[in-house]
Each structure stands twice: as C-alpha cells, then as structure tokens.
Amino acid sequence: MTFDFNILPPSTIQVRVEEAPSPDVSHQVVEKLCKTVLRGEGDNLLLDFSGQRSSNLTSELTRNYLVSVDAFLSKSWARRGGKFPIAILALGGTFGYGIGRMILGHAYGLKVLELDQFEDRQAALDWLNNTFRAAATHLSVDVTSDAMRGT
C-alpha cells in the first residue's frame, strides 16, 4: 500500500503514506483531497507518515503542492472558517518525521493552510479539531461584531 485515504469521525481526512508513490499517484491524492474538501466531507487533514519508509518527494514538488492546495482552498475554504489545519504525524528520528520537517519548512506564506507536526496521534487529532473550532468561532464572533456595529 502506498496511500490510504479515508475520513475519520467527525470530519478529519486521513492520508497515510508508507512507500514512495509515483508522481501520478501523488497528484491523484492531492486532487482527491481538494475534491473531498470541496464536497464538505473534511474540515482538516491528518498526514500520517508514521509508517513511511521511502519517498520521491522533492523540495520543489513539496512547495508546489502546498502552494497549489493553498490557492485552491483560499477560493473555497476561506469562506467556511479561515484556516485549514494539517497535522503531520510521525515519530522523531524516523524517515516520516524527516519528510514532515521538510514539508513544514516549505509551509511559509500560505493563506489558508496551517501545518504542525506531532509524534502523538491523539495530540494531532486534538489540535486539528481545536484549530478548526477556534477558527469557526472566531469567524462567527467577527461577523456578529461587525453586524452589531453596522459595518
């Protein structure tokens, strides 16, 4: 298995990576992610690299994926609650942890994507759910405050 893509309750998209996928498969997974979010089936993403043993991901490809997904979501997601949180899961000292650090290093200047890395699955899920709730609460407070002020 290269990729495992599923939805965890209540609305976390989980992508588990174990081996180096071909560029075509990687592109298909990114497309599937965007379509899943667009259909309203996921509010955040857990990238599980805890079992990853190899990768063809380059720095250039990493940055391109981040920028393209951010641009796509900035058109659709920003209206729904601001940030789209992505938690990267992998134990320190593992191959997957290194891939996660590379991804974080390229996650600068993004409008919608918010990334963090975790070694503990429950901590990652808690952060994902709390980050989305905080963004949605902040958005509703701002809208209410503006409406009350007449702006």
Side-chain angles (χ1 to χ4, degrees):
M1 170 183 62
T2 300
F3 280 106
D4 179 29
F5 188 104
N6 58 2
I7 306 293
L8 304 174
S11 57
T12 295
I13 301 165
Q14 175 180 266
V15 175
R16 190 180 336 212
V17 182
E18 293 184 356
E19 296 181 23
S22 70
D24 288 343
V25 171
S26 295
H27 184 70
Q28 290 170 5
V29 170
V30 170
E31 282 186 3
K32 185 174 182 178
L33 167 68
C34 291
K35 289 176 182 177
T36 301
V37 172
L38 193 60
R39 287 191 309 264
E41 296 174 7
D43 295 329
N44 52 56
L45 172 63
L46 176 65
L47 284 176
D48 185 347
F49 295 155
S50 59
Q52 189 169 4
R53 297 179 301 272
S54 62
S55 177
N56 292 330
L57 196 59
T58 64
S59 292
E60 181 180 11
L61 191 56
T62 298
R63 182 66 183 159
N64 287 343
Y65 281 145
L66 288 169
V67 170
S68 64
V69 171
D70 190 67
F72 173 81
L73 291 179
S74 68
K75 295 175 186 169
S76 60
W77 185 259
R79 294 186 299 262
R80 292 183 54 198
K83 298 291 185 181
F84 185 86
I86 300 174
I88 300 168
L89 176 63
L91 291 175
T94 64
F95 186 84
Y97 189 84
I99 293 297
R101 299 306 297 171
M102 179 180 70
I103 292 170
L104 287 177
H106 289 288
Y108 57 88
L110 303 173
K111 296 175 184 173
V112 177
L113 299 180
E114 183 174 336
L115 290 88
D116 206 345
Q117 187 160 354
F118 300 86
E119 294 186 37
D120 178 77
R121 182 178 183 77
Q122 191 57 53
L125 291 171
D126 290 346
W127 178 80
L128 286 170
N129 291 317
N130 290 334
T131 300
F132 177 73
R133 270 191 240 108
T137 301
H138 177 71
L139 179 65
S140 66
V141 168
D142 286 348
V143 170
T144 303
S145 298
D146 288 347
M148 294 179 86
R149 282 185 247 139
T151 58

mmCIF file of all heavy atoms in Angstrom, residues 3 18 23 26 32 44 47-48 54 58 80 98 111 121 132 135 140 147:
data_model
loop_
_atom_site.group_PDB
_atom_site.id
_atom_site.type_symbol
_atom_site.label_atom_id
_atom_site.label_comp_id
_atom_site.label_asym_id
_atom_site.label_seq_id
_atom_site.Cartn_x
_atom_site.Cartn_y
_atom_site.Cartn_z
ATOM 1 N N PHE A 3 -0.709 4.641 -0.480
ATOM 2 C CA PHE A 3 -1.561 5.616 0.178
ATOM 3 C C PHE A 3 -2.800 4.937 0.746
ATOM 4 O O PHE A 3 -3.354 4.033 0.129
ATOM 5 C CB PHE A 3 -2.065 6.672 -0.816
ATOM 6 C CG PHE A 3 -1.085 7.758 -1.121
ATOM 7 C CD1 PHE A 3 -0.435 7.789 -2.331
ATOM 8 C CD2 PHE A 3 -0.836 8.759 -0.210
ATOM 9 C CE1 PHE A 3 0.450 8.790 -2.635
ATOM 10 C CE2 PHE A 3 0.051 9.770 -0.505
ATOM 11 C CZ PHE A 3 0.696 9.787 -1.726
ATOM 12 N N GLU A 18 3.108 5.185 3.138
ATOM 13 C CA GLU A 18 4.111 4.217 3.586
ATOM 14 C C GLU A 18 5.296 4.106 2.634
ATOM 15 O O GLU A 18 6.422 4.014 3.074
ATOM 16 C CB GLU A 18 3.476 2.843 3.807
ATOM 17 C CG GLU A 18 2.508 2.842 4.969
ATOM 18 C CD GLU A 18 1.932 1.477 5.260
ATOM 19 O OE1 GLU A 18 2.224 0.512 4.513
ATOM 20 O OE2 GLU A 18 1.185 1.372 6.243
ATOM 21 N N PRO A 23 4.674 10.032 -9.193
ATOM 22 C CA PRO A 23 4.140 11.401 -9.290
ATOM 23 C C PRO A 23 2.662 11.428 -9.676
ATOM 24 O O PRO A 23 1.909 12.266 -9.186
ATOM 25 C CB PRO A 23 5.013 12.045 -10.370
ATOM 26 C CG PRO A 23 6.302 11.289 -10.299
ATOM 27 C CD PRO A 23 5.900 9.873 -9.962
ATOM 28 N N SER A 26 0.617 10.618 -6.568
ATOM 29 C CA SER A 26 0.660 11.778 -5.661
ATOM 30 C C SER A 26 -0.304 12.860 -6.130
ATOM 31 O O SER A 26 -1.053 13.427 -5.332
ATOM 32 C CB SER A 26 2.072 12.364 -5.591
ATOM 33 O OG SER A 26 2.958 11.454 -5.017
ATOM 34 N N LYS A 32 -7.874 14.365 -5.039
ATOM 35 C CA LYS A 32 -8.919 13.753 -4.214
ATOM 36 C C LYS A 32 -9.113 14.547 -2.928
ATOM 37 O O LYS A 32 -10.254 14.760 -2.484
ATOM 38 C CB LYS A 32 -8.554 12.302 -3.898
ATOM 39 C CG LYS A 32 -9.631 11.549 -3.152
ATOM 40 C CD LYS A 32 -9.275 10.077 -3.004
ATOM 41 C CE LYS A 32 -10.379 9.317 -2.307
ATOM 42 N NZ LYS A 32 -10.085 7.888 -2.195
ATOM 43 N N ASN A 44 -10.290 19.111 8.042
ATOM 44 C CA ASN A 44 -8.869 19.166 8.350
ATOM 45 C C ASN A 44 -8.206 17.908 7.800
ATOM 46 O O ASN A 44 -8.882 17.026 7.287
ATOM 47 C CB ASN A 44 -8.639 19.322 9.864
ATOM 48 C CG ASN A 44 -9.393 18.289 10.670
ATOM 49 O OD1 ASN A 44 -9.241 17.090 10.458
ATOM 50 N ND2 ASN A 44 -10.220 18.730 11.610
ATOM 51 N N LEU A 47 -1.913 13.932 8.030
ATOM 52 C CA LEU A 47 -0.942 13.249 7.185
ATOM 53 C C LEU A 47 -0.166 12.296 8.074
ATOM 54 O O LEU A 47 0.648 12.728 8.887
ATOM 55 C CB LEU A 47 0.028 14.253 6.546
ATOM 56 C CG LEU A 47 -0.476 15.074 5.385
ATOM 57 C CD1 LEU A 47 0.584 16.081 4.940
ATOM 58 C CD2 LEU A 47 -0.875 14.180 4.225
ATOM 59 N N ASP A 48 -0.423 11.016 7.940
ATOM 60 C CA ASP A 48 0.202 10.020 8.796
ATOM 61 C C ASP A 48 1.415 9.427 8.081
ATOM 62 O O ASP A 48 1.289 8.606 7.184
ATOM 63 C CB ASP A 48 -0.814 8.930 9.135
ATOM 64 C CG ASP A 48 -0.278 7.918 10.130
ATOM 65 O OD1 ASP A 48 0.943 7.900 10.392
ATOM 66 O OD2 ASP A 48 -1.092 7.127 10.638
ATOM 67 N N SER A 54 9.890 5.295 2.427
ATOM 68 C CA SER A 54 10.579 5.869 1.271
ATOM 69 C C SER A 54 9.743 7.006 0.704
ATOM 70 O O SER A 54 8.551 7.132 1.010
ATOM 71 C CB SER A 54 10.817 4.802 0.195
ATOM 72 O OG SER A 54 9.585 4.300 -0.281
ATOM 73 N N THR A 58 10.306 15.819 -3.541
ATOM 74 C CA THR A 58 11.418 16.762 -3.579
ATOM 75 C C THR A 58 10.986 18.078 -2.945
ATOM 76 O O THR A 58 9.785 18.316 -2.747
ATOM 77 C CB THR A 58 11.859 17.037 -5.028
ATOM 78 O OG1 THR A 58 10.764 17.687 -5.712
ATOM 79 C CG2 THR A 58 12.238 15.760 -5.753
ATOM 80 N N ARG A 80 -15.485 29.363 4.662
ATOM 81 C CA ARG A 80 -16.054 28.429 5.633
ATOM 82 C C ARG A 80 -15.457 28.526 7.026
ATOM 83 O O ARG A 80 -15.944 27.891 7.937
ATOM 84 C CB ARG A 80 -15.862 27.001 5.128
ATOM 85 C CG ARG A 80 -16.689 26.718 3.903
ATOM 86 C CD ARG A 80 -16.539 25.293 3.469
ATOM 87 N NE ARG A 80 -16.824 24.382 4.553
ATOM 88 C CZ ARG A 80 -16.461 23.123 4.568
ATOM 89 N NH1 ARG A 80 -15.765 22.641 3.573
ATOM 90 N NH2 ARG A 80 -16.761 22.341 5.579
ATOM 91 N N GLY A 98 11.320 13.128 9.111
ATOM 92 C CA GLY A 98 12.142 13.991 8.256
ATOM 93 C C GLY A 98 11.353 14.571 7.097
ATOM 94 O O GLY A 98 11.499 15.747 6.756
ATOM 95 N N LYS A 111 -1.901 31.221 2.784
ATOM 96 C CA LYS A 111 -3.059 31.972 3.272
ATOM 97 C C LYS A 111 -4.007 31.127 4.115
ATOM 98 O O LYS A 111 -4.558 31.609 5.092
ATOM 99 C CB LYS A 111 -3.829 32.563 2.085
ATOM 100 C CG LYS A 111 -3.056 33.568 1.296
ATOM 101 C CD LYS A 111 -3.841 34.016 0.082
ATOM 102 C CE LYS A 111 -3.001 34.963 -0.762
ATOM 103 N NZ LYS A 111 -3.661 35.287 -2.015
ATOM 104 N N ARG A 121 -0.585 10.604 18.107
ATOM 105 C CA ARG A 121 -1.793 10.652 17.280
ATOM 106 C C ARG A 121 -2.923 11.445 17.939
ATOM 107 O O ARG A 121 -3.575 12.267 17.291
ATOM 108 C CB ARG A 121 -2.249 9.219 16.971
ATOM 109 C CG ARG A 121 -3.463 9.144 16.092
ATOM 110 C CD ARG A 121 -3.805 7.669 15.815
ATOM 111 N NE ARG A 121 -4.921 7.552 14.933
ATOM 112 C CZ ARG A 121 -4.892 7.739 13.617
ATOM 113 N NH1 ARG A 121 -3.771 8.053 13.027
ATOM 114 N NH2 ARG A 121 -5.970 7.611 12.885
ATOM 115 N N PHE A 132 -9.811 23.952 14.099
ATOM 116 C CA PHE A 132 -10.960 24.255 13.247
ATOM 117 C C PHE A 132 -12.054 24.948 14.052
ATOM 118 O O PHE A 132 -12.616 25.938 13.626
ATOM 119 C CB PHE A 132 -11.518 22.989 12.590
ATOM 120 C CG PHE A 132 -12.754 23.287 11.778
ATOM 121 C CD1 PHE A 132 -12.650 23.951 10.574
ATOM 122 C CD2 PHE A 132 -14.004 22.937 12.241
ATOM 123 C CE1 PHE A 132 -13.779 24.261 9.834
ATOM 124 C CE2 PHE A 132 -15.138 23.235 11.507
ATOM 125 C CZ PHE A 132 -15.014 23.894 10.299
ATOM 126 N N ALA A 135 -11.159 28.558 14.707
ATOM 127 C CA ALA A 135 -11.302 29.400 13.513
ATOM 128 C C ALA A 135 -12.765 29.700 13.233
ATOM 129 O O ALA A 135 -13.146 30.826 12.929
ATOM 130 C CB ALA A 135 -10.661 28.715 12.306
ATOM 131 N N SER A 140 -17.376 33.547 13.446
ATOM 132 C CA SER A 140 -18.743 33.914 13.796
ATOM 133 C C SER A 140 -18.751 35.112 14.741
ATOM 134 O O SER A 140 -19.614 35.967 14.637
ATOM 135 C CB SER A 140 -19.479 32.731 14.421
ATOM 136 O OG SER A 140 -18.916 32.385 15.657
ATOM 137 N N ALA A 147 -21.681 43.082 12.358
ATOM 138 C CA ALA A 147 -23.100 43.332 12.119
ATOM 139 C C ALA A 147 -23.680 44.255 13.183
ATOM 140 O O ALA A 147 -24.481 45.137 12.912
ATOM 141 C CB ALA A 147 -23.867 42.010 12.090
#
